[in-house]
Amino acid sequence: MNDPKLDERIAGLVRSVELDVPDGLDERVRTAARSIAPKPGAAVPSARRRLWPVLVPSAAFALAAALMILPTLRRPAATPITEIRTEFELADKNIKVIFFQKPDFNFLKEN
């Protein structure tokens, strides 16, 4: 609604209830507010109280996640090869060849 008469009436009512701030009072109030030092530790306990209910479950969740992930990151223990067996057959000549490699075999050793 764009009614200029209504707008003027509302503006006049708002101006009629405005109070004038005495000279210098506004500046004195602002100076006094700046000079008041905040009390040390006043806001910290309330913040700590609000933080604990969040920290405890999140720490438990982080611990559970770490315990689930750590076993997957570990390398399996190296098991020594006990024996390697290789087998092939030449069917047309009726020959079967089997190789056994023992754990004490050193490939790089010269005889």
Side-chain angles (χ1 to χ4, degrees):
M1 293 188 350
N2 289 335
D3 188 6
K5 285 185 177 183
L6 182 62
D7 290 343
E8 275 300 316
R9 181 179 163 109
I10 292 172
L13 289 172
V14 169
R15 278 189 230 108
S16 69
V17 294
E18 274 184 2
L19 295 176
D20 290 330
V21 178
D23 293 334
L25 180 64
D26 187 34
E27 187 60 36
R28 280 190 353 214
V29 169
R30 292 184 192 277
T31 306
R34 280 189 222 112
S35 67
I36 297 173
K39 294 181 182 179
V44 175
S46 64
R48 284 185 185 158
R49 273 189 238 123
R50 282 183 288 175
L51 202 56
W52 274 108
V54 175
L55 283 178
V56 172
S58 61
F61 178 75
L63 178 66
L67 290 176
M68 291 173 71
I69 291 174
L70 280 179
T72 60
L73 297 177
R74 289 187 187 158
R75 292 183 182 165
T79 56
I81 299 173
T82 57
E83 183 178 279
I84 297 176
R85 177 180 171 156
T86 307
E87 181 177 324
F88 65 92
E89 187 173 345
L90 302 171
D92 59 337
K93 306 227 185 218
N94 201 15
I95 299 174
K96 188 173 198 175
V97 180
I98 303 172
F99 291 103
F100 287 99
Q101 182 175 335
K102 299 289 186 183
D104 59 348
F105 176 78
N106 189 355
F107 179 71
L108 301 174
K109 184 171 72 171
E110 294 182 23
N111 291 330

Short mmCIF file of all heavy atoms in Angstrom, two decimals, residues 51-69:
data_model
loop_
_atom_site.label_atom_id
_atom_site.label_comp_id
_atom_site.label_asym_id
_atom_site.label_seq_id
_atom_site.Cartn_x
_atom_site.Cartn_y
_atom_site.Cartn_z
N LEU A 51 30.96 -27.01 25.81
CA LEU A 51 31.86 -27.76 24.94
C LEU A 51 32.00 -29.22 25.36
O LEU A 51 32.17 -30.09 24.51
CB LEU A 51 33.23 -27.07 24.96
CG LEU A 51 34.14 -27.33 23.78
CD1 LEU A 51 33.45 -26.98 22.48
CD2 LEU A 51 35.40 -26.52 23.92
N TRP A 52 31.92 -29.52 26.65
CA TRP A 52 32.12 -30.90 27.12
C TRP A 52 31.13 -31.89 26.52
O TRP A 52 31.54 -32.98 26.12
CB TRP A 52 32.07 -30.97 28.65
CG TRP A 52 33.40 -30.68 29.24
CD1 TRP A 52 33.77 -29.56 29.91
CD2 TRP A 52 34.56 -31.51 29.20
NE1 TRP A 52 35.08 -29.63 30.28
CE2 TRP A 52 35.59 -30.83 29.86
CE3 TRP A 52 34.84 -32.75 28.65
CZ2 TRP A 52 36.87 -31.36 30.00
CZ3 TRP A 52 36.11 -33.27 28.79
CH2 TRP A 52 37.10 -32.59 29.45
N PRO A 53 29.85 -31.61 26.46
CA PRO A 53 28.94 -32.61 25.88
C PRO A 53 29.25 -32.91 24.41
O PRO A 53 28.88 -33.97 23.91
CB PRO A 53 27.56 -31.96 26.00
CG PRO A 53 27.70 -30.98 27.09
CD PRO A 53 29.11 -30.50 27.04
N VAL A 54 29.94 -32.02 23.75
CA VAL A 54 30.32 -32.26 22.36
C VAL A 54 31.65 -32.99 22.28
O VAL A 54 31.84 -33.87 21.44
CB VAL A 54 30.39 -30.92 21.59
CG1 VAL A 54 30.89 -31.11 20.19
CG2 VAL A 54 29.03 -30.25 21.59
N LEU A 55 32.59 -32.64 23.16
CA LEU A 55 33.93 -33.23 23.09
C LEU A 55 33.96 -34.70 23.44
O LEU A 55 34.68 -35.47 22.81
CB LEU A 55 34.88 -32.46 24.02
CG LEU A 55 35.36 -31.12 23.50
CD1 LEU A 55 36.25 -30.45 24.53
CD2 LEU A 55 36.11 -31.28 22.21
N VAL A 56 33.21 -35.10 24.43
CA VAL A 56 33.26 -36.49 24.88
C VAL A 56 32.78 -37.45 23.79
O VAL A 56 33.49 -38.40 23.44
CB VAL A 56 32.48 -36.66 26.20
CG1 VAL A 56 32.35 -38.12 26.57
CG2 VAL A 56 33.14 -35.87 27.31
N PRO A 57 31.60 -37.25 23.19
CA PRO A 57 31.20 -38.18 22.12
C PRO A 57 32.10 -38.10 20.89
O PRO A 57 32.36 -39.12 20.26
CB PRO A 57 29.78 -37.74 21.76
CG PRO A 57 29.31 -36.95 22.91
CD PRO A 57 30.52 -36.35 23.54
N SER A 58 32.59 -36.90 20.56
CA SER A 58 33.45 -36.80 19.39
C SER A 58 34.79 -37.50 19.63
O SER A 58 35.35 -38.11 18.73
CB SER A 58 33.67 -35.35 18.98
OG SER A 58 34.29 -34.64 20.02
N ALA A 59 35.30 -37.43 20.86
CA ALA A 59 36.54 -38.15 21.18
C ALA A 59 36.32 -39.66 21.11
O ALA A 59 37.17 -40.41 20.62
CB ALA A 59 37.05 -37.74 22.55
N ALA A 60 35.18 -40.11 21.59
CA ALA A 60 34.86 -41.54 21.53
C ALA A 60 34.72 -41.99 20.08
O ALA A 60 35.20 -43.07 19.71
CB ALA A 60 33.58 -41.82 22.30
N PHE A 61 34.11 -41.17 19.25
CA PHE A 61 33.96 -41.51 17.84
C PHE A 61 35.33 -41.55 17.15
O PHE A 61 35.60 -42.46 16.37
CB PHE A 61 33.06 -40.48 17.14
CG PHE A 61 32.90 -40.72 15.68
CD1 PHE A 61 32.10 -41.74 15.22
CD2 PHE A 61 33.55 -39.92 14.76
CE1 PHE A 61 31.95 -41.97 13.86
CE2 PHE A 61 33.42 -40.13 13.41
CZ PHE A 61 32.61 -41.16 12.96
N ALA A 62 36.20 -40.59 17.45
CA ALA A 62 37.53 -40.57 16.86
C ALA A 62 38.34 -41.79 17.28
O ALA A 62 39.05 -42.39 16.47
CB ALA A 62 38.25 -39.28 17.24
N LEU A 63 38.22 -42.18 18.54
CA LEU A 63 38.94 -43.35 19.02
C LEU A 63 38.43 -44.62 18.34
O LEU A 63 39.22 -45.47 17.91
CB LEU A 63 38.79 -43.47 20.54
CG LEU A 63 39.46 -44.69 21.17
CD1 LEU A 63 40.98 -44.58 21.03
CD2 LEU A 63 39.07 -44.80 22.63
N ALA A 64 37.12 -44.75 18.21
CA ALA A 64 36.56 -45.92 17.54
C ALA A 64 36.98 -45.97 16.08
O ALA A 64 37.31 -47.04 15.56
CB ALA A 64 35.03 -45.89 17.66
N ALA A 65 37.00 -44.82 15.42
CA ALA A 65 37.42 -44.79 14.02
C ALA A 65 38.89 -45.17 13.89
O ALA A 65 39.27 -45.91 12.98
CB ALA A 65 37.18 -43.39 13.44
N ALA A 66 39.72 -44.68 14.80
CA ALA A 66 41.15 -45.02 14.76
C ALA A 66 41.36 -46.52 14.99
O ALA A 66 42.18 -47.14 14.33
CB ALA A 66 41.91 -44.21 15.79
N LEU A 67 40.61 -47.07 15.93
CA LEU A 67 40.76 -48.50 16.20
C LEU A 67 40.28 -49.36 15.04
O LEU A 67 40.76 -50.48 14.84
CB LEU A 67 40.00 -48.87 17.48
CG LEU A 67 40.61 -48.34 18.78
CD1 LEU A 67 39.72 -48.69 19.96
CD2 LEU A 67 42.01 -48.89 18.99
N MET A 68 39.35 -48.86 14.26
CA MET A 68 38.87 -49.62 13.11
C MET A 68 39.82 -49.49 11.92
O MET A 68 39.97 -50.41 11.13
CB MET A 68 37.47 -49.15 12.72
CG MET A 68 36.41 -49.52 13.74
SD MET A 68 34.82 -48.81 13.38
CE MET A 68 34.34 -49.77 11.97
N ILE A 69 40.48 -48.33 11.79
CA ILE A 69 41.33 -48.08 10.63
C ILE A 69 42.74 -48.63 10.82
O ILE A 69 43.36 -49.11 9.87
CB ILE A 69 41.37 -46.57 10.31
CG1 ILE A 69 40.00 -46.14 9.79
CG2 ILE A 69 42.44 -46.23 9.31
CD1 ILE A 69 39.87 -44.65 9.59
#
